[in-house]
């Protein structure tokens, strides 16, 4: 298969993964809400978004410090433990109810078992398909939880602020480049690994990143840390794409939020997907296609401005088509 064809196929696989995360977030939103997994008491409070952005800044600084002082084991352990915890939330609402009392605590082995297997697989054999499978589970779970925790206005504010922050951190301070360079070698499920050939092995690879590749870990690209912008490889010269898991999760938060909080009716019985949620998915995919096109041209680019912008624009189009006034679609009604 020609390399360019492989790159297009890899791009298609990336789109499929994004759609799985978004559809999974919508499917999990209802069960999560019923199980009481909402992260905040008042999801309509826009200050929740600011608090979450502050938490991201603190977490980013902590991760950079851990990488700088070579405490890689600490970061690896934290991410794998978080992966197991998020997957436990997911499996707990998907698994048939079964309780076994251990030490006075009721547990569901059908939920905790797969979560432990996923965490152990990430720890012992983090091949690209393990990373991607875990990324889909974690991404859908995280987006579902935040989707029911952020109403429409807080979700839009969150995506807008993170898009600006992403652009600054990639084009300005470039600290995301240092962060991505540090986490790629740790083989953690904070990136989605999209190989261009089935023979590619993430275990045997030691990915290095440049401005584009770091971006790839948080956005999408590939290259070497010593390369200039002009030297970054295009689609004909690379074996793998890296896309940050956060790039898949953040737009999916608005998709899930639209499915839960939009007054538009679901399109399908038994599935919460409404027209605004669907068009938010379409907008995200449009932004992703543009991002992948830039990556294939060898250009570094921040992902969230395109992805979050596409999700917000798509959501608003769907809301207007559903007959929802723009003020209500933006969640501004209580403030006007």
């Amino acid at each position: 298969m020609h390399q360019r064809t492989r790159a297009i196929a890899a791009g298609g696989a990336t789109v499929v993964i994004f759609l799985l995360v978004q559809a999974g977030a919508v499917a999990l939103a209802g069960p999560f809400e019923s199980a009481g997994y909402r992260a905040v008491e008042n999801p309509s409070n826009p200050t929740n978004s600011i608090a979450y952005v502050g938490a991201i800044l603190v977490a980013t600084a902590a991760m950079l410090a851990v990488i700088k002082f070579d405490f890689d084991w600490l970061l690896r352990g934290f991410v794998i433990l978080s992966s197991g915890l998020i997957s436990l939330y997911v499996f707990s609402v998907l698994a048939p109810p079964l309780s076994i009392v251990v030490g006075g605590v009721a547990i569901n082995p059908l939920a905790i078992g797969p979560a432990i297997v996923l965490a152990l697989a990430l720890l012992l054999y983090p091949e690209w398909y393990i990373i991607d499978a875990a990324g889909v589970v974690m991404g859908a779970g995280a987006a579902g939880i935040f989707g029911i925790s952020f109403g429409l206005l807080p979700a839009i504010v969150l995506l807008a602020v993170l898009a600006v922050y992403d652009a600054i951190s990639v084009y300005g301070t470039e600290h995301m480049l240092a962060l991505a360079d540090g986490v790629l070698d740790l083989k953690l499920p904070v990136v989605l690994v999209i190989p261009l050939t089935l023979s590619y092995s993430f275990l045997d690879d030691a990915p290095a990143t440049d401005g584009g590749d770091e971006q790839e870990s948080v956005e999408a690209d590939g290259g070497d840390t010593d390369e200039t912008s002009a030297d970054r490889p295009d689609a004909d010269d690379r074996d793998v794409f890296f896309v940050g898991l956060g790039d898949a999760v953040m737009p999916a938060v608005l998709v899930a939020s639209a499915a839960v909080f939009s007054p538009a009716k679901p399109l399908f019985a038994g599935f919460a997907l409404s027209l605004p949620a669907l068009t938010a998915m379409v907008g995200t995919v449009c932004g992703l296609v543009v991002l992948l096109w830039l990556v294939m041209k060898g250009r570094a680019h921040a992902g969230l401005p395109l992805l979050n912008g596409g999700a917000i624009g798509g959501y608003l189009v769907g809301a207007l088509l559903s007959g929802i006034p723009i003020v209500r679609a933006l969640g501004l009604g209580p403030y006007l």
Side-chain angles (χ1 to χ4, degrees):
M1 185 185 298
H2 190 271
Q3 187 77 354
R4 178 63 61 172
T5 303
R6 291 172 178 169
I8 294 174
T14 307
V15 171
V16 170
I17 290 176
F18 269 61
L19 290 175
L20 287 174
V21 170
Q22 294 182 326
V26 172
L28 290 168
F32 278 169
E33 194 165 26
S34 299
Y37 289 165
R38 180 173 287 169
V40 298
E41 292 185 4
N42 181 10
S44 63
N45 187 350
T47 60
N48 295 336
S49 304
I50 306 303
Y52 182 69
V53 171
I56 289 179
L57 294 176
V58 172
T60 300
M63 292 173 69
L64 287 170
V66 167
I67 292 172
K68 180 178 180 180
F69 293 106
D70 293 326
F71 292 144
D72 294 349
W73 60 270
L74 181 61
L75 178 58
R76 182 171 172 79
F78 174 78
V79 172
I80 291 177
L81 181 62
S82 299
S83 303
L85 181 60
I86 294 174
S87 64
L88 178 59
Y89 280 119
V90 173
F91 296 133
S92 67
V93 299
L94 296 179
L98 175 65
S99 294
I100 297 179
V101 179
V102 178
V105 178
I107 63 172
N108 185 344
L110 299 180
I112 197 171
I116 292 175
V117 169
L118 182 144
L120 288 176
L122 289 172
L123 177 65
L124 302 175
Y125 194 75
E127 189 51 274
W128 65 265
Y129 43 84
I130 300 293
I131 295 287
D132 289 351
V136 170
V137 174
M138 292 172 57
I145 291 173
F146 286 118
I148 65 174
S149 302
F150 289 86
L152 296 172
L153 179 59
I156 292 172
V157 170
L158 176 66
L159 266 64
V161 172
L162 287 180
V164 173
Y165 167 68
D166 194 32
I168 293 173
S169 64
V170 171
Y171 304 131
T173 64
E174 299 187 355
H175 65 269
M176 278 297 180
L177 308 183
L179 179 61
D181 192 37
V183 299
L184 273 179
D185 288 338
L186 296 180
K187 307 292 191 294
L188 294 173
V190 294
V191 295
L192 298 169
V193 185
I194 317 296
L196 273 68
T197 63
L198 292 178
S199 61
Y200 170 82
S201 173
F202 191 46
L203 289 173
D204 297 335
D205 196 5
T209 59
D210 63 356
D213 202 9
E214 288 277 1
Q215 183 130 327
E216 193 172 283
S217 309
V218 184
E219 280 72 299
D221 198 7
D224 184 88
T225 50
D226 297 325
E227 292 175 331
T228 65
S229 297
D231 295 329
R232 290 180 186 129
D234 60 18
D236 294 333
D237 301 313
R238 65 179 57 154
D239 297 321
V240 61
F241 288 140
F242 297 102
V243 180
L245 182 59
D247 286 350
V249 170
M250 287 303 120
V253 171
L254 180 57
V255 173
S257 178
V260 173
F261 295 104
S262 172
K265 295 181 179 179
L267 296 173
F268 310 101
F271 190 54
L273 186 69
S274 61
L275 181 59
L278 177 62
T279 53
M281 294 175 66
V282 173
T284 302
V285 171
C286 290
L288 178 60
V289 169
V290 174
L291 178 62
L292 292 174
W293 178 78
L294 292 172
V295 169
M296 292 181 184
K297 294 293 184 181
R299 302 176 189 174
H301 223 292
L304 291 185
L306 289 168
L307 297 167
N308 289 0
I312 294 172
Y315 160 73
L316 292 177
V317 169
L320 293 175
L321 290 176
S322 299
I324 302 172
I326 188 67
V327 171
R328 190 176 183 186
L330 291 171
L332 292 173
Y335 307 98
L336 296 177

